[in-house]
Amino acid sequence: MARNLRLTPLLLPLLFLTALIKTAHAGGIAIYWGQNGNEGTLTDTCATGRYSYVNVAFLNKFGNGQTPDINLAGHCNPASNGCTIVSDGIRNCQKRGIKVMLSIGGGIGSYSLASAADAENVAQYLWNNFLGGKSSSRPLGDAVLDGIDFDIELGSTQYWEDLAKYLKAYSKPERKVYLSAAPQCPFPDSFLGTALNTGLFDYVWIQFYNNAPCQYSSGNINNLISSWNRWTTSIKAGRIFLGLPAAPQAAGSGYIPPDVLTFKILPIIRKSPKYGGVMLWSKYYDDQTGYSSTILKSI
């Protein structure tokens, strides 16, 4: 015979606390968009409901006296102001509660910082052209992005901490400037190690691919878990993400089959208080495999 269960006054706070803990550890998926014209628009990307963060990639020319340049592959031509249409996508994503970052750097480009003064100039350019400042030549139009993503893989190894400090100085209680970074998994990252020590980064999506010593390989998760533990206990950051290729062809090495990720890796790394979720490269490859759809409920 069924009995009506009544929640005692003692049980209610316990259930509430459990829900809070689950919410605190709930992760999201960050995606890189912009490097393939066949991956859909920014609006389409956010409308999937699979992503919590989108990195618009890349501003791959800046610093050292250069005129900055953005490259969004086949999406639009910035030379003819053709990328201002992306503003609609940025706003549509933000209306859904998705944070949209401008990713600077990348694996191909011409960028570096010559000095702290150069870093200050680049920060001012980014503020005026992509964030809350004013400029007559905003490449992505008048939408205000949520922050800047540092994907620094070449050029100088110095002054990135200065760029982070100058950018964060623009942050205000009513309009925060978020900072994210995509270091390689060998610790510390040769380009961003010093910058990450500032504690100014809200999100750090570590690239656990194309780096044999600290990535998944042929059923072995030990190197990856060991590296993850070192990162999460060594840097001051808001949330730390496991960065992965969304398809085998998206990287030279380090692809993790979805079942291995959901059953063997995520249950371990989700225990970290700094766990933020998973970053995927990239929207185009995710479209090919459906990787994010497969793992979403386990994040």
Side-chain angles (χ1 to χ4, degrees):
M1 183 175 176
R3 291 185 299 170
N4 290 327
L5 293 176
R6 291 186 178 180
L7 296 176
T8 66
L10 193 62
L11 189 58
L12 281 170
L14 188 62
L15 288 172
F16 179 69
L17 184 62
T18 303
L20 272 181
I21 292 171
K22 284 184 178 179
T23 303
H25 281 258
I29 297 177
I31 197 79
Y32 277 85
W33 174 92
Q35 286 301 291
N36 193 300
N38 297 314
E39 63 192 346
T41 66
L42 193 53
T43 294
D44 294 338
T45 296
C46 292
T48 64
R50 299 194 299 264
Y51 313 117
S52 300
Y53 314 85
V54 178
N55 295 311
V56 177
F58 291 104
L59 183 82
N60 66 346
K61 182 182 178 184
F62 62 87
N64 208 14
Q66 301 179 95
T67 300
D69 193 19
I70 193 167
N71 180 332
L72 295 184
H75 285 285
C76 54
N77 181 8
S80 59
N81 290 324
C83 294
T84 56
I85 58 170
V86 177
S87 263
D88 289 338
I90 294 168
R91 282 188 285 263
N92 288 337
C93 292
Q94 290 170 334
K95 285 175 184 175
R96 294 176 179 271
I98 297 166
K99 288 188 170 55
V100 186
M101 316 285 284
L102 172 70
S103 188
I104 64 172
I108 301 172
S110 173
Y111 57 88
S112 66
L113 296 174
S115 63
D118 191 23
E120 184 175 16
N121 289 336
V122 171
Q124 186 177 45
Y125 169 81
L126 292 170
W127 169 254
N128 287 330
N129 286 275
F130 298 98
L131 301 173
K134 301 291 183 185
S135 170
S136 60
S137 59
R138 290 174 69 94
L140 300 181
D142 59 359
V144 178
L145 285 95
D146 292 291
I148 303 297
D149 174 59
F150 289 47
D151 182 15
I152 308 305
E153 303 184 32
L154 52 89
S156 63
T157 58
Q158 293 181 291
Y159 309 113
W160 299 109
E161 71 275 16
D162 295 298
L163 181 60
K165 290 172 185 175
Y166 286 124
L167 283 169
K168 208 64 171 178
Y170 286 111
S171 194
K172 298 290 186 289
E174 65 274 12
R175 186 81 199 200
K176 188 172 179 180
V177 174
Y178 291 89
L179 297 182
S180 61
Q184 310 290 315
C185 59
F187 186 89
D189 184 82
S190 57
F191 291 97
L192 293 171
T194 305
L196 291 171
N197 283 336
T198 62
L200 296 174
F201 286 81
D202 302 282
Y203 315 112
V204 179
W205 12 80
I206 302 156
Q207 297 184 48
F208 286 93
Y209 52 95
N210 295 335
N211 287 290
C214 47
Q215 68 184 27
Y216 170 83
S217 178
S218 304
N220 182 357
I221 68 170
N222 296 332
N223 290 346
L224 184 148
I225 296 298
S226 176
S227 179
W228 169 267
N229 288 338
R230 184 167 188 190
W231 276 97
T232 54
T233 56
S234 300
I235 65 166
K236 294 181 290 182
R239 287 284 176 260
I240 298 178
F241 295 67
L242 187 75
L244 301 173
Q249 62 270 33
S253 59
Y255 175 77
I256 303 178
D259 60 327
V260 175
L261 179 67
T262 55
F263 292 111
K264 294 185 177 180
I265 296 174
L266 287 178
I268 296 174
I269 69 171
R270 285 188 62 186
K271 295 175 183 176
S272 167
K274 293 181 182 177
Y275 170 80
V278 171
M279 175 274 279
L280 295 176
W281 176 268
S282 62
K283 172 58 165 53
Y284 172 76
Y285 290 109
D286 192 30
D287 285 345
Q288 311 308 305
T289 61
Y291 198 93
S292 64
S293 297
T294 307
I295 66 170
L296 186 59
K297 290 183 179 178
S298 302
I299 297 292

